[in-house]
Amino acid sequence: MKIIVIGATGTLGSAVARQLEHRGHEVVRAARRGPVRVDLTDRASVDALFASVGDVDAVICCAASGRLTPLDSPSDEEFTTGLQGKLLGQVHLVRHALPHLRDGGVIVLTSGVFEQPTPGGAFGALVNAGLDAFVRAAAIEMPRGLRLAVVSPGWVAETLTGMGLDPSDGTPAAEVARAYVAHLNARAPDGRRR
């Protein structure tokens, strides 16, 4: 399969790309920096990505991130970080990927979930819930046997380490990556394996 991994230079995206390549897939590694560039906050760059890569079997988006910002943040812009990239950027990605996916292809997005509320995570929780709801609603509209899925990881252990926190509260990136890869072999609504 030919698969675009967006956010392939990040902790999670690189783990997904490695697992796919290990399984023999052709992986197009896309990120804000690197040879294949895309920025979910820039709709023209999403369109340029598909124009340069051509038709694919799958798109996996691991680029959707946001930072923890307190509810009483002094600016609306700081508080709503992630709206353009994580929420609206992934919605735009789905809409513009459709004509470039081969029949029976799949798009896998990233939201997130935490077992306990996290200080500074209120807006992130809103964005994640919005993405989950979008995928549930949009999945029934996918044409040509295309599938839409979302992976909602909690804390990734390597991310916690990078933040100077205890990684034992997170899941290793390689384990989370398996959830993305599993969507490639999931059954389509018609019961056929894709």
Side-chain angles (χ1 to χ4, degrees), residues 155-162 164-172:
W155 285 111
V156 174
E158 293 85 344
T159 301
L160 289 172
T161 298
L165 300 172
D166 181 5
S168 67
D169 291 332
T171 305

Side-chain angles (χ1 to χ4, degrees), residues 65-85 119-124 127:
S65 64
R67 59 180 190 248
L68 298 175
T69 307
L71 187 60
D72 62 356
S73 172
S75 78
D76 287 339
E77 291 77 23
E78 185 178 328
F79 182 71
T80 59
T81 296
L83 180 64
Q84 290 303 317
F123 190 74
V127 168

Side-chain angles (χ1 to χ4, degrees), residues 11 142 191:
T11 301
M142 298 295 279

Side-chain angles (χ1 to χ4, degrees), residues 126-168:
L126 173 68
V127 168
N128 291 334
L131 275 167
D132 291 341
F134 168 75
V135 169
R136 276 192 309 276
I140 65 168
E141 296 184 44
M142 298 295 279
R144 301 180 288 107
L146 300 177
R147 292 173 290 122
L148 179 61
V150 64
V151 174
S152 302
W155 285 111
V156 174
E158 293 85 344
T159 301
L160 289 172
T161 298
M163 296 169 64
L165 300 172
D166 181 5
S168 67

Side-chain angles (χ1 to χ4, degrees), residues 12 15-16 19 62 110 151-158 170-183:
L12 190 52
V16 170
Q19 287 191 23
C62 302
T110 298
V151 174
S152 302
W155 285 111
V156 174
E158 293 85 344
T171 305
E175 186 176 326
V176 176
R178 286 195 287 275
Y180 290 84
V181 174
H183 282 291

